[in-house]
mmCIF file of all heavy atoms in Angstrom:
data_model
loop_
_atom_site.group_PDB
_atom_site.id
_atom_site.type_symbol
_atom_site.label_atom_id
_atom_site.label_comp_id
_atom_site.label_asym_id
_atom_site.label_seq_id
_atom_site.Cartn_x
_atom_site.Cartn_y
_atom_site.Cartn_z
ATOM 1 N N ARG A 146 -34.033 -5.643 14.381
ATOM 2 C CA ARG A 146 -33.698 -4.708 15.361
ATOM 3 C C ARG A 146 -33.612 -3.280 14.874
ATOM 4 O O ARG A 146 -34.070 -2.355 15.421
ATOM 5 C CB ARG A 146 -32.485 -5.106 16.057
ATOM 6 C CG ARG A 146 -32.613 -6.398 16.925
ATOM 7 C CD ARG A 146 -31.237 -6.981 17.355
ATOM 8 N NE ARG A 146 -30.584 -6.281 18.534
ATOM 9 C CZ ARG A 146 -29.355 -6.349 18.890
ATOM 10 N NH1 ARG A 146 -28.627 -7.204 18.251
ATOM 11 N NH2 ARG A 146 -28.923 -5.800 19.837
ATOM 12 N N MET A 147 -32.842 -3.195 13.820
ATOM 13 C CA MET A 147 -32.520 -1.939 13.149
ATOM 14 C C MET A 147 -33.861 -1.174 12.837
ATOM 15 O O MET A 147 -34.104 0.008 13.045
ATOM 16 C CB MET A 147 -31.688 -1.927 11.957
ATOM 17 C CG MET A 147 -30.228 -2.157 12.305
ATOM 18 S SD MET A 147 -29.187 -2.149 10.849
ATOM 19 C CE MET A 147 -29.078 -3.888 10.459
ATOM 20 N N GLU A 148 -34.815 -2.060 12.240
ATOM 21 C CA GLU A 148 -36.088 -1.423 11.790
ATOM 22 C C GLU A 148 -36.952 -1.075 12.964
ATOM 23 O O GLU A 148 -37.680 0.041 12.998
ATOM 24 C CB GLU A 148 -36.749 -2.413 10.956
ATOM 25 C CG GLU A 148 -36.109 -2.478 9.527
ATOM 26 C CD GLU A 148 -36.628 -3.698 8.635
ATOM 27 O OE1 GLU A 148 -37.299 -4.475 9.117
ATOM 28 O OE2 GLU A 148 -36.201 -3.633 7.456
ATOM 29 N N LEU A 149 -36.911 -1.917 13.999
ATOM 30 C CA LEU A 149 -37.536 -1.473 15.251
ATOM 31 C C LEU A 149 -37.114 -0.095 15.820
ATOM 32 O O LEU A 149 -37.869 0.592 16.490
ATOM 33 C CB LEU A 149 -37.383 -2.582 16.383
ATOM 34 C CG LEU A 149 -38.454 -3.794 16.357
ATOM 35 C CD1 LEU A 149 -38.042 -4.634 17.523
ATOM 36 C CD2 LEU A 149 -39.718 -3.240 16.609
ATOM 37 N N LEU A 150 -35.868 0.060 15.665
ATOM 38 C CA LEU A 150 -35.198 1.226 16.230
ATOM 39 C C LEU A 150 -35.402 2.538 15.241
ATOM 40 O O LEU A 150 -34.977 3.607 15.599
ATOM 41 C CB LEU A 150 -33.607 1.063 16.319
ATOM 42 C CG LEU A 150 -33.399 0.103 17.474
ATOM 43 C CD1 LEU A 150 -31.850 -0.374 17.221
ATOM 44 C CD2 LEU A 150 -33.339 0.709 18.807
ATOM 45 N N GLY A 151 -36.122 2.279 14.153
ATOM 46 C CA GLY A 151 -36.519 3.427 13.261
ATOM 47 C C GLY A 151 -35.595 3.549 12.141
ATOM 48 O O GLY A 151 -35.783 4.570 11.450
ATOM 49 N N ALA A 152 -34.668 2.736 11.919
ATOM 50 C CA ALA A 152 -33.771 2.876 10.735
ATOM 51 C C ALA A 152 -34.311 2.322 9.508
ATOM 52 O O ALA A 152 -35.138 1.340 9.505
ATOM 53 C CB ALA A 152 -32.393 2.216 11.113
ATOM 54 N N LYS A 153 -33.790 2.888 8.361
ATOM 55 C CA LYS A 153 -34.264 2.259 7.048
ATOM 56 C C LYS A 153 -33.121 1.384 6.584
ATOM 57 O O LYS A 153 -31.992 1.811 6.560
ATOM 58 C CB LYS A 153 -34.546 3.353 6.153
ATOM 59 C CG LYS A 153 -35.014 2.922 4.747
ATOM 60 C CD LYS A 153 -35.286 4.036 3.835
ATOM 61 C CE LYS A 153 -35.506 3.551 2.387
ATOM 62 N NZ LYS A 153 -35.148 4.654 1.422
ATOM 63 N N VAL A 154 -33.359 0.140 6.422
ATOM 64 C CA VAL A 154 -32.385 -0.771 6.061
ATOM 65 C C VAL A 154 -32.449 -0.962 4.536
ATOM 66 O O VAL A 154 -33.476 -1.516 3.992
ATOM 67 C CB VAL A 154 -32.426 -2.100 6.706
ATOM 68 C CG1 VAL A 154 -31.236 -3.029 6.299
ATOM 69 C CG2 VAL A 154 -32.322 -1.904 8.267
ATOM 70 N N VAL A 155 -31.379 -0.714 3.814
ATOM 71 C CA VAL A 155 -31.487 -0.863 2.338
ATOM 72 C C VAL A 155 -30.576 -2.126 1.924
ATOM 73 O O VAL A 155 -29.404 -2.123 2.245
ATOM 74 C CB VAL A 155 -30.882 0.446 1.630
ATOM 75 C CG1 VAL A 155 -30.965 0.244 0.064
ATOM 76 C CG2 VAL A 155 -31.729 1.653 2.071
ATOM 77 N N SER A 156 -31.191 -3.005 1.136
ATOM 78 C CA SER A 156 -30.424 -4.241 0.671
ATOM 79 C C SER A 156 -29.622 -3.951 -0.416
ATOM 80 O O SER A 156 -30.000 -3.267 -1.412
ATOM 81 C CB SER A 156 -31.472 -5.266 0.413
ATOM 82 O OG SER A 156 -30.906 -6.374 -0.192
ATOM 83 N N VAL A 157 -28.387 -4.429 -0.349
ATOM 84 C CA VAL A 157 -27.387 -4.259 -1.477
ATOM 85 C C VAL A 157 -27.152 -5.548 -2.207
ATOM 86 O O VAL A 157 -26.682 -6.458 -1.610
ATOM 87 C CB VAL A 157 -25.954 -3.576 -0.931
ATOM 88 C CG1 VAL A 157 -24.966 -3.492 -2.082
ATOM 89 C CG2 VAL A 157 -26.307 -2.372 -0.234
ATOM 90 N N ASP A 158 -27.557 -5.594 -3.410
ATOM 91 C CA ASP A 158 -27.377 -7.004 -4.026
ATOM 92 C C ASP A 158 -26.338 -7.016 -5.036
ATOM 93 O O ASP A 158 -26.113 -7.923 -5.835
ATOM 94 C CB ASP A 158 -28.700 -7.438 -4.712
ATOM 95 C CG ASP A 158 -29.247 -6.434 -5.616
ATOM 96 O OD1 ASP A 158 -28.490 -5.418 -5.862
ATOM 97 O OD2 ASP A 158 -30.405 -6.552 -6.085
ATOM 98 N N LYS A 159 -25.566 -5.967 -4.999
ATOM 99 C CA LYS A 159 -24.340 -5.968 -5.928
ATOM 100 C C LYS A 159 -23.203 -6.753 -5.351
ATOM 101 O O LYS A 159 -23.143 -6.992 -4.154
ATOM 102 C CB LYS A 159 -23.788 -4.496 -6.075
ATOM 103 C CG LYS A 159 -24.790 -3.656 -6.899
ATOM 104 C CD LYS A 159 -24.405 -2.245 -7.144
ATOM 105 C CE LYS A 159 -25.466 -1.528 -7.866
ATOM 106 N NZ LYS A 159 -26.521 -1.059 -6.904
ATOM 107 N N GLY A 160 -22.238 -7.150 -6.191
ATOM 108 C CA GLY A 160 -21.109 -7.961 -5.734
ATOM 109 C C GLY A 160 -21.659 -9.218 -5.059
ATOM 110 O O GLY A 160 -22.553 -9.886 -5.564
ATOM 111 N N ALA A 161 -21.002 -9.560 -3.974
ATOM 112 C CA ALA A 161 -21.266 -10.753 -3.205
ATOM 113 C C ALA A 161 -22.457 -10.460 -2.210
ATOM 114 O O ALA A 161 -22.874 -11.334 -1.437
ATOM 115 C CB ALA A 161 -20.236 -11.339 -2.506
ATOM 116 N N GLY A 162 -22.904 -9.071 -2.201
ATOM 117 C CA GLY A 162 -23.916 -8.682 -1.168
ATOM 118 C C GLY A 162 -23.324 -8.832 0.262
ATOM 119 O O GLY A 162 -24.128 -9.231 1.186
ATOM 120 N N THR A 163 -22.129 -8.438 0.420
ATOM 121 C CA THR A 163 -21.610 -8.345 1.713
ATOM 122 C C THR A 163 -21.064 -6.979 2.141
ATOM 123 O O THR A 163 -21.406 -6.024 1.458
ATOM 124 C CB THR A 163 -20.491 -9.524 1.952
ATOM 125 O OG1 THR A 163 -19.549 -9.244 1.047
ATOM 126 C CG2 THR A 163 -21.092 -10.996 1.816
ATOM 127 N N LEU A 164 -20.186 -6.993 3.133
ATOM 128 C CA LEU A 164 -19.906 -5.661 3.699
ATOM 129 C C LEU A 164 -19.147 -4.779 2.680
ATOM 130 O O LEU A 164 -19.548 -3.540 2.667
ATOM 131 C CB LEU A 164 -18.871 -5.844 4.950
ATOM 132 C CG LEU A 164 -18.459 -4.597 5.638
ATOM 133 C CD1 LEU A 164 -19.612 -3.785 6.164
ATOM 134 C CD2 LEU A 164 -17.465 -5.035 6.787
ATOM 135 N N LYS A 165 -18.232 -5.204 1.867
ATOM 136 C CA LYS A 165 -17.606 -4.403 0.830
ATOM 137 C C LYS A 165 -18.604 -3.637 0.006
ATOM 138 O O LYS A 165 -18.466 -2.535 -0.284
ATOM 139 C CB LYS A 165 -16.646 -5.263 0.037
ATOM 140 C CG LYS A 165 -16.158 -4.587 -1.263
ATOM 141 C CD LYS A 165 -15.220 -5.534 -2.036
ATOM 142 C CE LYS A 165 -15.916 -6.370 -2.955
ATOM 143 N NZ LYS A 165 -16.055 -5.865 -4.228
ATOM 144 N N ASP A 166 -19.615 -4.394 -0.405
ATOM 145 C CA ASP A 166 -20.633 -3.801 -1.331
ATOM 146 C C ASP A 166 -21.455 -2.731 -0.478
ATOM 147 O O ASP A 166 -21.921 -1.844 -1.060
ATOM 148 C CB ASP A 166 -21.452 -4.878 -1.889
ATOM 149 C CG ASP A 166 -20.516 -6.070 -2.477
ATOM 150 O OD1 ASP A 166 -19.820 -5.805 -3.314
ATOM 151 O OD2 ASP A 166 -20.548 -7.199 -1.867
ATOM 152 N N ALA A 167 -21.705 -3.032 0.735
ATOM 153 C CA ALA A 167 -22.561 -2.079 1.497
ATOM 154 C C ALA A 167 -21.706 -0.892 1.779
ATOM 155 O O ALA A 167 -22.321 0.260 1.708
ATOM 156 C CB ALA A 167 -22.785 -2.800 2.940
#
Side-chain angles (χ1 to χ4, degrees):
Chain A
R146 286 165 83 191
M147 284 184 264
E148 287 171 348
L149 271 182
L150 290 159
K153 183 180 168 201
V154 180
V155 182
S156 172
V157 178
D158 54 10
K159 298 188 178 72
T163 57
L164 181 57
K165 167 178 86 91
D166 312 295

